Amino acid sequence: MAKKVAVVTGSAGGLGKGIAERLANDGFAIVLHDINQDLLKETEAEFKNKGYDVTSFVGDVSKRDDQFNLVKHAVDTFGRLDVFVNNAGIEAVTPFMEIDEKELQRAFSINVFGMVYGTQAAATQFIKQGGGGKIISASSIAGHESYAMLGTYSATKHGVRSFTQTASKELAKYKINVNAYAPGVAKTKMWDRIDAEMVKHDPSLKPGDAFAKYSSEISLGRYEVPSDVANLVSFLASPDSDYITGQTILVDGGMVYR
């Protein structure tokens, strides 16, 4: 095939959409994916209007069969797979003493199980093709350091980091690189929801206070935008990153130092 092919889960909006657009501009054929069918179709139409080679797939990352069917759709449409981005994820904002089974099950099923299933599906196809591939997953600064009120979310992102290391060690013999990106504070709908939830649990906060507090701690003096993350993913998807694997790379403007 003339073009390489990239799948980006959770790419109807937010950081995932920014990543998908950057990879499209890099010359990849793109498989957009999301559970939100209406928004996904809007984004697909937008990409087509820009001249990108694109298709879309509605799926739930927490369902293993959906992840394998997503890869099948990519291969049926474009003939191969080269990059798989496990971007889909959800937030969870709860005081530690109030974390319950429902929250744990939902967050882990999407953020961790989804990453594992996507990695398995992509790796199966890469092994079949025989030419290696790139698997890139969404961790977070919360995968390097756990935060108050974000216990469940932080634990899931630590899980992504752990599985990234394990998968990278086991899949290296197939020339499959497995890495993750760790964003910081971005002005996205997810962060709007985090801010709103923190206000609910702390009456002293006003809307926007939590976002402002975390943003103020960024060394480079501004919050993150999708292109900041997309630039890193573009590098990890390129041949320039062929000697990098098992890493969870911070892209946070200077918040967490490891």
Side-chain angles (χ1 to χ4, degrees):
M1 302 293 289
K3 283 191 173 182
K4 288 189 174 183
V5 179
V7 170
V8 184
T9 68
S11 51
L15 297 181
K17 181 181 177 182
I19 290 167
E21 184 159 14
R22 172 58 190 266
L23 293 179
N25 285 323
D26 288 345
F28 283 86
I30 300 296
V31 182
L32 296 169
H33 163 280
D34 212 280
I35 199 168
N36 185 332
Q37 183 172 5
D38 293 339
L39 186 59
L40 182 64
K41 289 301 179 184
E42 289 178 17
T43 302
E44 182 182 17
E46 179 185 331
F47 275 36
K48 286 180 176 177
N49 287 338
K50 292 181 177 180
Y52 299 146
D53 202 355
V54 63
T55 185
S56 67
F57 184 89
V58 179
D60 181 346
V61 295
S62 71
K63 296 179 179 177
R64 193 172 189 270
D65 286 348
D66 275 21
Q67 295 284 62
F68 277 81
N69 287 333
L70 169 59
V71 169
K72 183 178 185 300
H73 176 75
V75 176
D76 287 348
T77 304
F78 294 121
R80 61 178 294 109
L81 179 66
D82 299 279
V83 172
F84 192 97
V85 183
N86 287 302
N87 174 76
I90 61 168
E91 76 286 349
V93 185
T94 310
F96 177 78
M97 295 299 288
E98 297 177 20
I99 294 171
D100 60 17
E101 182 180 2
K102 181 179 179 182
E103 175 179 301
L104 290 168
Q105 287 181 336
R106 182 168 185 262
F108 273 86
S109 69
I110 295 171
N111 294 357
V112 183
F113 298 1
M115 177 267 181
V116 170
Y117 299 153
T119 299
Q120 290 172 337
T124 298
Q125 179 61 29
F126 291 152
I127 293 167
K128 181 179 179 181
Q129 291 173 182
K134 301 290 180 72
I135 298 170
I136 309 164
S137 303
S139 184
S140 167
I141 55 173
H144 282 271
E145 178 178 332
S146 297
Y147 291 88
M149 301 289 294
L150 295 170
T152 299
Y153 179 75
S154 297
T156 65
K157 293 306 182 178
H158 275 75
V160 169
R161 187 178 170 203
S162 177
F163 276 121
T164 293
Q165 292 180 7
T166 298
S168 73
K169 292 176 180 181
E170 295 189 23
L171 298 175
K173 63 185 176 183
Y174 302 109
K175 294 183 170 58
I176 299 171
N177 298 70
V178 187
N179 291 294
Y181 50 99
V185 180
K187 190 61 176 171
T188 60
K189 289 183 179 178
M190 176 182 281
W191 248 101
D192 288 342
R193 292 192 296 269
I194 291 173
D195 187 273
E197 286 298 315
M198 287 190 170
V199 170
K200 282 184 189 178
H201 292 289
D202 185 347
S204 70
L205 293 176
K206 300 188 298 293
D209 281 356
F211 183 82
K213 175 184 179 296
Y214 281 99
S215 297
S216 70
E217 298 171 0
I218 300 171
S219 294
L220 292 181
R222 66 169 177 84
Y223 61 74
E224 191 155 34
V225 295
S227 61
D228 295 320
V229 179
N231 289 339
L232 174 59
V233 176
S234 172
F235 166 71
L236 292 173
S238 78
D240 289 342
S241 69
D242 283 354
Y243 200 60
I244 299 173
T245 198
Q247 304 306 306
T248 298
I249 301 174
L250 288 157
V251 52
D252 64 358
M255 290 187 71
V256 176
Y257 290 84
R258 294 288 184 272

